[in-house]
Amino acid sequence: MRQDGVNARMKAPFQILVAVGDRDLSDDVCDALLADGRWEILDVVSDGSDALRVTGERLPDAVLMDVYLPGLDCQAYLERLAAGAVSRLPFVAAMTCAGLMEHARARLAQRADLLFDKQALEDGLGAFARMLTEQSVSRIACDSLRRRQVIAGNLLDHVGMSHTLRGFGYLTLCAALMSADPMLTKDLQHGVYRIVAQMRSTKPNLVERSIRHAIERALDGAKPGVIYSMFGNTMDANRGKPTNSETIAVLAEAIRRELKDEAHGAAQPGLRMDAVPAWDASER
């Protein structure tokens, strides 16, 4: 996902990971990318397992890969991303030959952002660059937002935040987006607030205000133990209540941890709110 709006993207190159099994094609791809000042190549790999590892380590804006790769093919790679295997969900473009296009489209349509014929490389890369410029959220991130929002909402239930508050929905969506792209922490007003405002047909300042109101309403009567169990030492004790950014960051990290636990088959959630003493959890 993009850190900022369209203008910010125009000022900086797209950081891309290239995963292509054929050496000659890989060279052609890199030459085409380097000839376009919008791209910065983070790494080049020839194996899907390496692509997954580098995605987690280098956090690219975008990934360009062959549909069919050793280790993990593109479909398996996308499935691992959806399962929470990495902390940032990039835009993903896949390429294959014309004869396999329909078969690949049937397998990748729900999660790949773009599929193109490798024989039309320049056209495909141009379309991919335009997509990153125009869109805020990758398809793989959108695919996972609902599940991430549910996790955030369950956590907010423990501090008594009402689902009827407009800020509840904005907060869970902000946390879901940030859990899919930690780069969004750099500028809430021009980053995640703007994206949420676009998705909900409102304004960034109204998103911010609604979240602040929801936090204050939820925590006005909450016991200190409930607040501490969720925020610990990340919150400024002198204020007594977390800021929007603290709340979103804590929820985002909890989402990432729970998804990671689920991906590894763990039974324990990332943030154990049931560890709060019963009197704290019930008395709000």
Side-chain angles (χ1 to χ4, degrees), residues 192-209:
V192 70
Y193 289 163
R194 177 171 293 181
I195 295 172
V196 170
Q198 291 172 346
M199 296 174 73
R200 294 294 183 262
S201 300
T202 185
K203 298 179 180 179
N205 65 314
L206 295 181
V207 172
E208 180 180 22
R209 190 183 309 165

Side-chain angles (χ1 to χ4, degrees), residues 97-110:
C97 62
L100 295 174
M101 192 70 68
E102 290 306 314
H103 180 256
R105 184 173 288 112
R107 300 175 64 209
L108 306 177
Q110 296 303 312

